[in-house]
Amino acid sequence: MTPALRILVVSDVSPLPISGGAERVLWEEASRLHKLGHRVRVLSRSRADGVAETVEQEGVRIRHFPVDRRSPLQFARTSILEARRAAAHELAGTGADVLHLHQPYSGYGVLRSPAGRSIPSLYTFLSPAPLEYRSRVGMTGLHKGGWTRSLGIALLWILEGACLKRATRIRVLSNFSADLLWKLYRIPEDRIVRIPGGVDTERFQPAADRTAVRNALGLPARLPLLFTLRNLEARMGLEILIRAMAILRRHVPEALLLIGGMGSLRDDLESLTASLDLTDHVRFLGFVPDDQLPLYYQAADLFVLPTRELEGFGLVTVEALACGTPVLGTPIGATPEILLPLRSDLIFPGTDPDAIAKLILEHHHRLRSDLDGYQDLRNACRRHAFDRYAWPPLIKALEEVLLKATET
């Protein structure tokens, strides 16, 4: 019988509410470990509204520690110090057998504390924090340019490096991330464990009637219907995808692209769309509520991932596949690791608009000319997601790693 662990999960992001891939991975893992019989507590900084509350959801207690968001420097300082203080309180009370750390600010605060440094730990490395910060300059008031940008990047190199050095084991979601660990931090292979992100295959599954789903969402009967879900930021490649739509429209006048997500580039992307006369071919959805997300995956003929850099895993990729929706992605980061074992023709030959438009057009022609073949592809997408990325076996693998960490 597997012994019950006291697991303290520490994160820079709160799982309440789920607004992105990091939050979803955090919550899925914490809640599923609890269902396996472990005592799981989550410690994360307060949400943007600043409320430092403690709540319980599905048996998992989530404690938010306060942070000062008035400046990037104060935000970094309080993220570290308040995480350290909150962890000391948690560990003095009920203790922990193992720490599961996400992101460097809170991770550093806990690992550097007297209470945290003696406890075995697993650090989940989603993506290099300094490079993520660099790509998000201008995204929020806490991601500024100039000397603030340089200082923030330098600080994250130090903090993340220290977390990786002190953690008992390091978990990555892809071979791409494991390679980055060596290139950027010289982390040897024997300290790394690979457990990919997962998908709830009961919640994300093909629709019984895709036409009914489109009608429920108020979507027109146009072909192809493309969907992407991204932060509206430069590294996501949305400008390139919009320019590809200008090429695609010349061949397929009914093509429609739905862009879900929020970000600092929305005005620029909408202006680009208007300048290319694509307002009838590109629709901005804004934030897609979590309960509607499976519906948009189900409704789409193709999900498009035009990332330009730093695709550490791509949770949206496996969610779309689980809904039976083929994913076309750029040859960046971990995307080829997910898609190539399924089919090689799901990878764009490049990241330029011509390459993206060409492959979308090829799949559109197959969709129109070979409905049975297209359905076979949709079925294969679902099987691929279920066989490789369903949460239950991945959580068992994570449980085993946490157990082994306590034995060192």
Side-chain angles (χ1 to χ4, degrees), residues 211-221 256 258 283 296:
T211 300
V213 171
R214 289 191 182 191
N215 291 338
L217 293 174
L219 299 175
L256 176 62
L258 306 176
R283 183 180 299 180
Y296 279 100

Side-chain angles (χ1 to χ4, degrees), residues 39-81:
R39 182 176 182 180
V40 183
R41 291 163 290 154
V42 175
L43 185 64
S44 70
R45 66 186 175 205
S46 61
R47 295 164 291 180
D49 59 16
V51 178
E53 60 185 352
T54 298
V55 298
E56 185 168 310
Q57 179 169 286
E58 297 180 27
V60 177
R61 187 160 66 86
I62 304 166
R63 176 177 178 175
H64 297 97
F65 55 83
V67 292
D68 186 340
R69 289 178 163 84
R70 289 177 295 179
S71 73
L73 183 59
Q74 283 294 89
F75 180 71
R77 186 184 70 84
T78 55
S79 291
I80 295 169
L81 295 180

